[in-house]
Amino acid sequence: MPDTEANTAWRPLSIVVAGGGTGGHLFPGIAVATVFVHRNDQSRILFVGAGRPLEKAALARAGFVQRVIAIEGIKGRGIWPKMRAMLKIPGAVWHSLGILGDTQADLVVGLGGYSAGPVALAAWLKGIPVVLCEQNSVPGMTNRMLIPLAKRIYVSFDDTKGTVGLPKKRFTGNPIRQEILDARSLPAGEKDRFSVLVVGGSQGAHAINLAFMEALPHLKRKDRMRIVHQTGEADQDKVAAAYQAADVDAEVKAFFHDMASRYHAADLVVCRAGATTVAELTALGKAALFIPFPFATDNHQAHNAQRLVDQGAAMLVLERDLSGPWLAGQLDALAAAPQRLEEMADHARALGKPNAAQAIADDCYQLLDNTS
């Protein structure tokens, strides 16, 4: 494998990063793209996706350009929407062929999500190497379909299920944005309270918000707690009012842009179990209480969380079993058990792969050198 000390001397590449739709797909792509630019600032990176608002906003903040193809998801839709989506695929492949020709792409990196499919297929038709990033322990439908076309599949879990096998498979971990990794170097602050970070994703999680509102009157150690709660827009006001009524020290916002400092201050993170969240928690070494999204494709969030639970790094409760009194009891118990939190954090850190983006870039250069 190439010497990472020679990163800045490596040749510039033209790379198309395809897919997204959700932060869980998109943010790993941003992490990998950033490494390629760091290796050689003459490299050209283009993201191709469906142009959803989250994609546009995140890529604009990261300084990357996106081109949009007309494509829709198929899974979980009715017969007519499904047929309409399928009819868009040939046009999306044709458009992708043009984009790849315009960029003279050396490599296509597929992130998962339905918009990755036409781009990867177009790359295969043009003989451009395709690599896939599979964030979840259960590969999504798009990646399952693209595995035969790919030269590499970079997986986040060593026991990723499905048909991902050697010699294509590389266990790299899930790429993490540098701004999150930078939290590891933040100075330790003085701890006088049990700090809980609640985050249900960029849009919040209504069920988690409700459970916390129900839990607040039952807390017995609220004077020893500080809660930072990302609610999403819809629930912000009523969640903030519930904390105020219960006299619990809390910071409540619809969305936190500075997640690195929030992670850093937390003793416990209560969250969904998307692959990016799992990767960030393990890289930073944070104890977690996972409440998997019950409608995630192939129940992949529960599978993601279970691996950490099995290693003593986290707790898990299914949304159907979540209640306010139960949640209050768990928070009170953990507030009184700092040693248990430290042990969970240590186990989480042992599972972390903070250098995943660098490992993927290393292997991509090696792949291209071997196929040139």
Side-chain angles (χ1 to χ4, degrees), residues 224-309:
R224 297 180 56 184
M225 295 183 191
R226 171 168 171 75
I227 300 178
V228 176
H229 194 142
Q230 178 174 294
T231 62
E233 292 286 352
D235 290 343
Q236 179 182 5
D237 291 343
K238 57 187 174 184
V239 172
Y243 279 108
Q244 186 173 14
D247 194 26
V248 174
D249 182 17
E251 180 182 6
V252 179
K253 287 188 177 180
F255 185 79
F256 293 110
H257 288 288
D258 182 16
M259 283 301 297
S261 64
R262 310 295 174 176
Y263 275 137
H264 176 69
D267 298 305
L268 175 74
V269 181
V270 182
C271 55
R272 295 302 198 188
T276 295
T277 299
V278 170
E280 290 171 350
L281 294 175
T282 55
L284 299 177
K286 293 294 174 179
L289 169 58
F290 288 120
I291 307 167
F293 179 55
F295 305 110
T297 305
D298 301 316
N299 202 28
H300 69 257
Q301 287 206 7
H303 291 287
N304 292 347
Q306 190 60 52
R307 181 168 179 267
L308 272 68
V309 174

Side-chain angles (χ1 to χ4, degrees), residues 155-288:
V155 300
S156 301
F157 296 89
D158 57 0
D159 58 350
T160 296
K161 298 173 175 58
T163 58
V164 182
L166 295 175
K168 294 181 178 183
K169 179 179 175 181
R170 298 291 186 273
F171 172 40
T172 59
N174 196 13
I176 301 169
R177 292 166 292 165
Q178 189 60 44
E179 64 197 73
I180 298 296
L181 293 174
D182 287 345
R184 297 176 300 171
S185 61
L186 293 175
E190 293 186 7
K191 287 281 188 180
D192 59 349
R193 293 191 182 189
F194 172 48
S195 179
V196 181
L197 173 63
V198 186
V199 55
S202 59
Q203 302 301 315
H206 184 62
I208 296 177
N209 294 341
L210 288 178
F212 266 84
M213 288 191 288
E214 293 170 2
L216 295 176
H218 300 280
L219 288 174
K220 295 181 172 59
R221 295 177 177 269
K222 64 181 183 181
D223 292 340
R224 297 180 56 184
M225 295 183 191
R226 171 168 171 75
I227 300 178
V228 176
H229 194 142
Q230 178 174 294
T231 62
E233 292 286 352
D235 290 343
Q236 179 182 5
D237 291 343
K238 57 187 174 184
V239 172
Y243 279 108
Q244 186 173 14
D247 194 26
V248 174
D249 182 17
E251 180 182 6
V252 179
K253 287 188 177 180
F255 185 79
F256 293 110
H257 288 288
D258 182 16
M259 283 301 297
S261 64
R262 310 295 174 176
Y263 275 137
H264 176 69
D267 298 305
L268 175 74
V269 181
V270 182
C271 55
R272 295 302 198 188
T276 295
T277 299
V278 170
E280 290 171 350
L281 294 175
T282 55
L284 299 177
K286 293 294 174 179

Side-chain angles (χ1 to χ4, degrees), residues 5-360:
E5 293 298 321
N7 292 351
T8 56
W10 291 351
R11 64 187 174 96
L13 297 173
S14 175
I15 299 173
V16 170
V17 185
T22 66
H25 287 307
L26 186 63
F27 292 143
I30 291 173
V32 173
T34 300
V35 170
F36 278 118
V37 173
H38 178 72
R39 299 281 171 94
N40 191 310
D41 61 10
Q42 298 303 306
S43 289
R44 293 176 291 122
I45 311 292
L46 176 69
F47 281 74
V48 178
R52 295 173 67 175
L54 180 146
E55 297 173 9
K56 293 179 178 179
L59 290 171
R61 284 196 302 271
F64 291 111
V65 175
Q66 184 188 48
R67 287 181 66 174
V68 175
I69 58 174
I71 191 68
E72 298 178 18
I74 295 174
K75 189 169 183 178
R77 308 183 71 185
I79 183 65
W80 294 114
K82 189 174 292 188
M83 290 180 64
R84 184 182 68 234
M86 292 179 68
L87 289 172
K88 289 188 174 184
I89 293 175
V93 173
W94 182 256
H95 191 182
S96 299
L97 286 166
I99 291 172
L100 295 175
D102 293 343
T103 60
Q104 297 183 318
D106 298 300
L107 180 73
V108 166
V109 180
L111 304 177
Y114 54 84
S115 58
V119 186
L121 178 56
W124 179 77
L125 291 171
K126 291 178 71 69
I128 299 169
V130 175
V131 301
L132 304 177
C133 295
E134 178 48 61
Q135 300 89 7
N136 293 297
S137 56
V138 180
M141 184 177 74
T142 299
N143 274 355
R144 290 200 299 269
M145 295 175 64
L146 294 177
I147 284 171
L149 311 185
K151 299 289 187 181
R152 294 282 194 273
I153 300 94
Y154 302 114
V155 300
S156 301
F157 296 89
D158 57 0
D159 58 350
T160 296
K161 298 173 175 58
T163 58
V164 182
L166 295 175
K168 294 181 178 183
K169 179 179 175 181
R170 298 291 186 273
F171 172 40
T172 59
N174 196 13
I176 301 169
R177 292 166 292 165
Q178 189 60 44
E179 64 197 73
I180 298 296
L181 293 174
D182 287 345
R184 297 176 300 171
S185 61
L186 293 175
E190 293 186 7
K191 287 281 188 180
D192 59 349
R193 293 191 182 189
F194 172 48
S195 179
V196 181
L197 173 63
V198 186
V199 55
S202 59
Q203 302 301 315
H206 184 62
I208 296 177
N209 294 341
L210 288 178
F212 266 84
M213 288 191 288
E214 293 170 2
L216 295 176
H218 300 280
L219 288 174
K220 295 181 172 59
R221 295 177 177 269
K222 64 181 183 181
D223 292 340
R224 297 180 56 184
M225 295 183 191
R226 171 168 171 75
I227 300 178
V228 176
H229 194 142
Q230 178 174 294
T231 62
E233 292 286 352
D235 290 343
Q236 179 182 5
D237 291 343
K238 57 187 174 184
V239 172
Y243 279 108
Q244 186 173 14
D247 194 26
V248 174
D249 182 17
E251 180 182 6
V252 179
K253 287 188 177 180
F255 185 79
F256 293 110
H257 288 288
D258 182 16
M259 283 301 297
S261 64
R262 310 295 174 176
Y263 275 137
H264 176 69
D267 298 305
L268 175 74
V269 181
V270 182
C271 55
R272 295 302 198 188
T276 295
T277 299
V278 170
E280 290 171 350
L281 294 175
T282 55
L284 299 177
K286 293 294 174 179
L289 169 58
F290 288 120
I291 307 167
F293 179 55
F295 305 110
T297 305
D298 301 316
N299 202 28
H300 69 257
Q301 287 206 7
H303 291 287
N304 292 347
Q306 190 60 52
R307 181 168 179 267
L308 272 68
V309 174
D310 292 343
Q311 298 296 319
M315 300 169 60
L316 166 66
V317 60
L318 298 179
E319 188 173 296
R320 65 171 181 260
D321 299 325
L322 181 63
S323 71
W326 180 90
L327 179 59
Q330 298 303 310
L331 295 175
D332 281 329
L334 290 170
Q339 184 175 352
R340 184 184 178 196
L341 288 166
E342 290 177 9
E343 290 173 353
M344 291 170 67
D346 288 341
H347 289 307
R349 192 175 296 109
L351 295 170
K353 292 281 188 179
N355 296 320
Q358 289 85 348
I360 290 172

